[in-house]
Amino acid sequence: MLENTGRTELSSLGEFGLIKHLTQFIEVKNESTVKGVGDDAAVINYKNKQMVVSTDMLVEGVHFDLMYVPLKHLGYKAVSVNVSDIFAMNAIPRQITVSIAVSNRFSVEAVEELYAGMITACNKYKVDIVGGDTTTSKSGLVISITAIGEADAEELIYRDGAKEGDLLCVTGDLGAAYVGLQLLEREKKIFLETPGVQPDLDGHDYILQRQLKPEARKDIPVLLKKLEVKPTSMIDVSDGLASEILHISTQSELGCSLYEEKIPIDPSAYNMAREFNLDPTVCALSGGEDYELLFTIDPADYPKIKANPDITVIGHMTNKKEGVNLITKGGTTHPITAQGWDSLLNK
Ligand code: ADP
Ligand code: MG
């Protein structure tokens, strides 16, 4: 067919041809990667270190919409969200495996784009793609990535280590990825209703980048080490601040007081949330996909972090019987639920 010029069908390569094609430019960067792509299994040698493993799956129509997500960004994001879990353990990611299910709706060029994004991210995070699986999907695209990392046993940070009186800290800012998603959804709706109208995304770089091409906080484990601070607990913000605070509180068997006025929100995200008639605090609490790190520290460590512009103290851990609460800007106290906080649900 003439209109298919420039499109190479997946069937022309076959499964093995596609794997070879996609993995041809992979270069091993880590000493711990003994054997990468090409055998029945990869071989990894961490000597006397602990191995840290985490998997995430992204499903078309559930986690991403190819109407507005460029495949290159999707590949980048798929790697970022996986290595983010490794950083959240205070470990260093070294390898990933990549499994994809693709339908013949995709061309070889499309899958190449996806891989180009993944390889860019792998170079950024210095991780090796050491294997994966390639299979056919009848409909949507599915990407499953497993990230593998290393740490010394005493460096690992779990969700259950927070102590009463610890300060609750977060890196970067929150809510922007969710606001970015709202903008993309709005423009998609306009486009579908009035085809031909070009999306109006100008001047919204930050919130769009936070949604489409999130960065995992590779710098934070390094920074904490430099500051000589070892958090007592840590988690990455994938589902929203509220749900992550609940995870730390529940697993550490504590309560928590979070101060609304302290939650870091970028002005561009704040203003855009307002334009959508959304409460910026709710975007931070329930939006998710920020991939920042949330952690608790001993109050004695406060002087070491207080001057750092990348870390904000947003609350403190309390006794379990005090519950997990948001103290609003107006000074009222609301129990935090995974959806945000109670008053929201009762509106
Ligand atoms: P097997 O039949 O043993 O599962 P495959 O033919 O599926 O082997 O894979 C051959 C090699 O290519 C293996 O090393 C596998 O890990 C790797 N591989 C397969 N698919 C991918 C992919 N999408 N990305 C990276 N490596 C892959
Ligand atoms: Mg296989």
Side-chain angles (χ1 to χ4, degrees):
M1 278 192 289
L2 264 179
E3 61 265 34
N4 276 353
T5 315
R7 176 190 161 104
T8 313
E9 295 299 327
L10 285 177
S11 56
S12 71
L13 284 182
E15 183 191 329
F16 298 129
L18 179 64
I19 295 173
K20 203 167 160 211
H21 191 70
L22 293 176
T23 57
Q24 62 185 327
F25 299 116
I26 292 173
E27 278 171 28
V28 165
K29 299 179 271 291
N30 290 292
E31 192 192 326
S32 52
T33 306
V34 179
K35 178 78 197 181
V37 169
D39 215 308
D40 295 310
V43 180
I44 296 166
N45 183 1
Y46 284 152
K47 301 187 178 126
N48 49 1
K49 300 261 186 172
Q50 303 276 303
M51 183 192 269
V52 182
V53 182
S54 178
T55 295
D56 269 301
M57 196 181 312
L58 295 174
V59 178
E60 184 180 354
V62 179
H63 301 103
F64 58 89
D65 184 336
L66 290 176
M67 259 206 75
Y68 51 69
V69 177
L71 283 162
K72 209 172 197 165
H73 287 176
L74 180 63
Y76 192 95
K77 181 169 179 172
V79 173
S80 282
V81 309
N82 275 275
V83 297
S84 175
D85 282 316
I86 305 293
F87 293 126
M89 298 300 293
N90 203 33
I92 304 164
R94 298 287 190 199
Q95 289 87 15
I96 61 168
T97 62
V98 178
S99 297
I100 51 172
V102 272
S103 73
N104 55 17
R105 181 159 69 80
F106 294 87
S107 63
V108 170
E109 288 77 13
V111 186
E112 273 175 359
E113 280 287 292
L114 180 74
Y115 257 72
M118 290 197 291
I119 289 172
T120 302
C122 285
N123 290 337
K124 159 111 196 224
Y125 300 114
K126 297 198 172 58
V127 302
D128 297 326
I129 297 180
V130 295
D133 202 20
T134 307
T135 185
T136 313
S137 155
K138 287 255 149 86
S139 53
L141 173 66
V142 179
I143 308 164
S144 173
I145 294 186
T146 298
I148 305 159
E150 62 169 278
D152 286 328
E154 63 276 14
E155 281 174 348
L156 287 169
I157 301 173
Y158 298 89
R159 295 176 178 182
D160 64 2
K163 300 275 173 290
E164 194 174 335
D166 279 357
L167 300 176
L168 181 69
C169 307
V170 74
T171 61
D173 58 76
L174 302 172
Y178 180 75
V179 180
L181 179 64
Q182 301 315 303
L183 177 63
L184 289 163
E185 288 284 349
R186 180 181 78 185
E187 295 304 313
K188 173 186 167 182
K189 204 161 156 259
I190 295 172
F191 179 80
L192 289 176
E193 282 164 4
T194 334
V197 172
Q198 283 304 305
D200 179 18
L201 301 171
D202 277 0
H204 299 297
D205 294 2
Y206 184 65
I207 62 171
L208 291 172
Q209 178 251 312
R210 294 288 281 173
Q211 169 57 224
L212 294 173
K213 193 174 168 283
E215 305 288 348
R217 295 309 303 253
K218 170 184 193 281
D219 53 326
I220 298 299
V222 180
L223 174 70
L224 291 169
K225 204 169 195 168
K226 199 182 102 200
L227 298 173
E228 294 176 14
V229 175
K230 191 192 171 204
T232 51
S233 68
M234 189 151 71
I235 188 169
D236 69 330
V237 184
S238 51
D239 296 330
L241 184 60
S243 117
E244 319 309 356
I245 287 179
L246 287 168
H247 283 308
I248 286 185
S249 302
T250 308
Q251 294 201 26
S252 300
E253 297 182 54
L254 293 173
C256 181
S257 291
L258 166 69
Y259 294 88
E260 183 183 17
E261 63 182 1
K262 304 282 187 200
I263 301 173
I265 299 174
D266 189 81
S268 64
Y270 190 96
N271 294 335
M272 203 60 197
R274 284 279 177 233
E275 206 177 309
F276 280 110
N277 272 322
L278 294 167
D279 181 339
T281 301
V282 174
C283 295
L285 285 172
S286 310
E289 297 199 284
D290 298 305
Y291 300 104
E292 295 294 342
L293 293 173
L294 178 74
F295 56 91
T296 53
I297 60 167
D298 187 309
D301 284 333
Y302 176 67
K304 300 182 195 165
I305 61 121
K306 75 167 192 233
N308 200 291
D310 246 0
I311 301 174
T312 312
V313 177
I314 55 174
H316 61 269
M317 306 311 291
T318 61
N319 194 282
K320 189 178 178 181
K321 61 179 189 294
E322 291 179 48
V324 180
N325 297 301
L326 177 80
I327 322 309
T328 67
K329 287 175 183 165
T332 51
T333 299
H334 296 271
I336 292 175
T337 66
Q339 276 73 42
W341 77 88
D342 264 1
S343 66
L344 257 183
L345 302 172
N346 298 335
K347 262 180 200 161

